[in-house]
Amino acid sequence: MATGRGRLLQQHWLGLQALRRPPGGVGAAPGTAWPAEFRKGLGAWCAGNTALRQCAGRGKCCELPSTRSPVSLESIPSEILLKIFSYLDAVTLLCTGCVNRHFYHLANDKISGLGWVIILKEKNGREYIMEHIDLSINDSSVTIMWYGKTWPQLATLSTLDLCGVTPLFMDRSKTPSKNGPRWHSLIAKYNLSNLTESTMIGWDRLIRIFCLHPGLLVGLWKGEEELAFVMANLHFHHLVEKSTLGSATVPYELPPHTPLLDDSPEYGLHGYQLHVDMHSSGIFCLCGTFRNLFTKKGSIENGYVKLVVISFKNNTEHLPLIGKVGLSWRTDIFDGCIKSCSIMDVTLLDEYGKPFWCFSSPVCMRSSGPSDGPNFLGQTYYVDYVDSEGRVHVELVWIKETEEYFIVSLVLYLRVAKINHWFGTTY
């Protein structure tokens, strides 16, 4: 006789035919559509204007229907966009580069000059500065790549600094020169001696990949144990400020948060909105938005508040991953794809629509062994992410009949200390 969990999995299977993917292949819960509020909120974080907040370019995984005008940003000539950009302030100019690849090149090459570098530091004090080679603009993050043939030996390195760079003197009539003086803004510092088995999240026949918090992926050649590439994943939230307003040695410090007073008996436990993506190289396998998330005081345990986004017990909430899961990598010679790995972007808004918890990080899908349900349901898998503000736990089931993964559980665990600080509560 099947266990209670097995019966639920069987019900899930029987209900698969009733589930339909939303238009455009969006992985979203039934009745869930792409929120204009999220787009608007994302643009507000970057201090951009309304026109720059729309979905532009890059073949979005989620399309918003036009109810006003058929004119799109892609149809505007570059000369007109550059003229519009010339009236924007520096911070807004830098933010436009986060809209899509076309905007990035226009803003970066002609106006702002914003870029990112990694500074590899040897134990003897010598430094190697490497310019980013490529980037991918995602819905709520940017993925930046470094690779080449002239990496220093890994054994000689101590740390890696990730910095945003901008020209000290910007002449909007000329293309910024990389050889001129530039301002370095430290975003994060990483210890390269921490590349251990505990930080390795995947491998293929050529490389092993290691994840260092926050959001850095380091690829090592298997045979030589030397650097193959570095990939940084940066969420848009405060990205402009982090990339421009810090110094070479001190990161940008976020402004102090002032809690808003509220007499609700469960203030800070309701009204959340989550947007979550899983992607690689601009290809999305999950793109979903969930509103009106809430919990109760009774769900506070071991210093965490539990927010159930997708319940295992409710198969109408279960949703598929679109296409094959894998994290693409490349160098100037080879390229490949690490199966079961991807980039996860999480944006959690509070009841006022303000970003409460945001991150972009590589994650790995781990097998938990055979499912306790019917054999045709295949194996179950887990994806976990942890940082100082919370945890994300995702449970998936491989459906053999349709050859796809289904998310059957998605749970957020928010630190009580974070909630108390943000809302001025005393849970």
Side-chain angles (χ1 to χ4, degrees), residues 272-308:
Y272 289 97
Q273 177 175 315
L274 171 69
H275 184 81
V276 57
D277 295 324
M278 290 180 67
H279 60 87
S280 176
S281 298
I283 300 175
F284 288 72
C285 59
L286 171 65
C287 189
T289 297
F290 308 86
R291 299 181 180 85
N292 299 320
L293 302 177
F294 67 92
T295 187
K296 301 291 184 180
K297 291 182 180 180
S299 297
I300 299 177
E301 185 177 354
N302 298 325
Y304 287 94
V305 170
K306 182 179 180 181
L307 276 180
V308 178

Side-chain angles (χ1 to χ4, degrees), residues 157-172:
L157 298 175
S158 58
T159 60
L160 180 153
D161 289 358
L162 171 61
C163 298
V165 291
T166 48
L168 281 178
F169 310 105
M170 288 201 296
D171 184 346
R172 297 187 182 181

Side-chain angles (χ1 to χ4, degrees), residues 40-53:
K40 182 177 180 182
L42 184 60
W45 306 339
C46 295
N49 57 48
T50 303
L52 299 182
R53 295 173 194 159

